Amino acid sequence: MEAATKLSVAEAISQASNGPILAGVNRVFGLLRQLGLMRTQRIEPRLIGVHPMNRDGYGLSGRDCHDLIDSIFEIGYDSAQINAVAIEVDPNNDLEVVAFNKKVAKDSQGLLPDIPAHNLLFASLSASHTNAGLRCIAAQVKHDREDMCINGLLSSQVIGQKDAAFEAAVMQGVEWKIISRVVGQEFPGFLHLVQSGLNSSGQVARGEHELQILKRMCNVINAAKKLILD
């Protein structure tokens, strides 16, 4: 990264860290786009793991991923609700990222599929559970909801019979904002800032996880259906 470019990015990140995080992060994103250090790209779920900084090192919960896809299936898939940000990964050099994703898959006890190292080209900083859920469907992971499965295994075709957009996301992925790996190498602290700002934006004032919000919506919809049927 050229000295002038590095200085301008550093100044923008400094300003973002000293003010409202989400607005600051979005301003940095705008600068990165201008400098050719960020792009938008649709990416297959199988190529994206989770970054070790995601959710302050928490990474992923396999159970939350399965609960999330249940909620999406109930409510309907809407790409407009997804703000997906990831960073480029070099599987030959970013060994920490590869090892972290291996551990996440192992710790899930079969709820999450593994990602072969050569396929791990990006690591998510937001929308991580959504992407992991899409990977679960694509990998036909065991699941306990029969209307999403064939013989107890998740099926994109079965899901697509109810929600074609959901099936398309499984097969083709979602639109991601991709940060150049150079940015992560020069400013690793910015990645923490990104995940903090974007993951916090998915919560309401009382600090609810986005999964709780989806579950509440499902309950409201099911209650309305019951009233209509009764």
Side-chain angles (χ1 to χ4, degrees):
M1 186 181 293
E2 296 181 358
T5 298
K6 185 174 180 179
L7 180 59
S8 63
V9 174
E11 290 177 349
I13 293 173
S14 177
Q15 292 174 6
S17 63
N18 291 320
I21 294 178
L22 186 57
V25 165
N26 284 328
R27 284 195 297 272
V28 178
F29 284 173
L31 176 61
L32 294 179
R33 286 185 183 281
Q34 293 176 20
L35 296 172
L37 296 172
M38 188 172 188
R39 67 185 187 276
T40 299
Q41 181 179 347
R42 185 177 296 275
I43 302 171
E44 292 180 51
R46 66 185 180 88
L47 302 177
I48 304 177
V50 59
H51 197 278
M53 288 188 185
N54 186 66
R55 296 196 179 278
D56 300 304
Y58 170 70
L60 291 172
S61 162
R63 186 69 265 165
D64 280 357
C65 289
H66 283 255
D67 288 347
L68 180 59
I69 60 176
D70 282 351
S71 296
I72 293 173
F73 186 68
E74 187 72 30
I75 296 170
Y77 176 83
D78 182 2
S79 61
Q81 303 303 314
I82 300 172
N83 186 11
V85 178
I87 187 165
E88 295 173 331
V89 169
D90 181 350
N92 295 316
N93 293 318
D94 295 331
L95 301 182
E96 178 188 1
V97 178
V98 173
F100 184 76
N101 279 272
K102 293 286 185 184
K103 183 178 185 302
V104 166
K106 182 179 179 180
D107 290 349
S108 76
Q109 299 182 333
L111 289 174
L112 298 173
D114 194 12
I115 301 179
H118 65 276
N119 277 349
L120 186 54
L121 304 183
F122 308 93
S124 61
L125 295 163
S126 67
S128 301
H129 282 84
T130 299
N131 187 74
L134 297 176
R135 288 201 298 110
C136 287
I137 298 170
Q140 298 179 317
V141 170
K142 184 183 294 185
H143 190 67
D144 55 11
R145 182 161 172 164
E146 294 182 359
D147 56 349
M148 298 175 68
C149 297
I150 295 177
N151 297 325
L153 304 178
L154 284 164
S155 168
S156 60
Q157 291 181 334
V158 170
I159 290 170
Q161 291 173 4
K162 177 182 177 182
D163 191 337
F166 199 2
E167 181 185 19
V170 172
M171 307 305 295
Q172 303 168 13
V174 303
E175 291 283 339
W176 289 83
K177 299 180 184 75
I178 301 297
I179 302 170
S180 168
R181 69 168 62 96
V182 174
V183 176
Q185 292 165 355
E186 295 285 355
F187 307 102
F190 177 59
L191 304 185
H192 183 270
L193 195 66
V194 170
Q195 68 85 29
S196 295
L198 297 184
N199 288 323
S200 294
S201 71
Q203 298 170 349
V204 296
R206 286 175 294 180
E208 293 177 301
H209 189 283
E210 59 266 31
L211 182 57
Q212 291 175 281
I213 299 171
L214 280 175
K215 283 184 174 179
R216 180 174 293 110
M217 292 173 66
C218 286
N219 290 337
V220 170
I221 290 171
N222 288 332
K225 286 180 179 177
K226 187 176 186 300
L227 286 173
I228 292 171
L229 292 175
D230 290 347

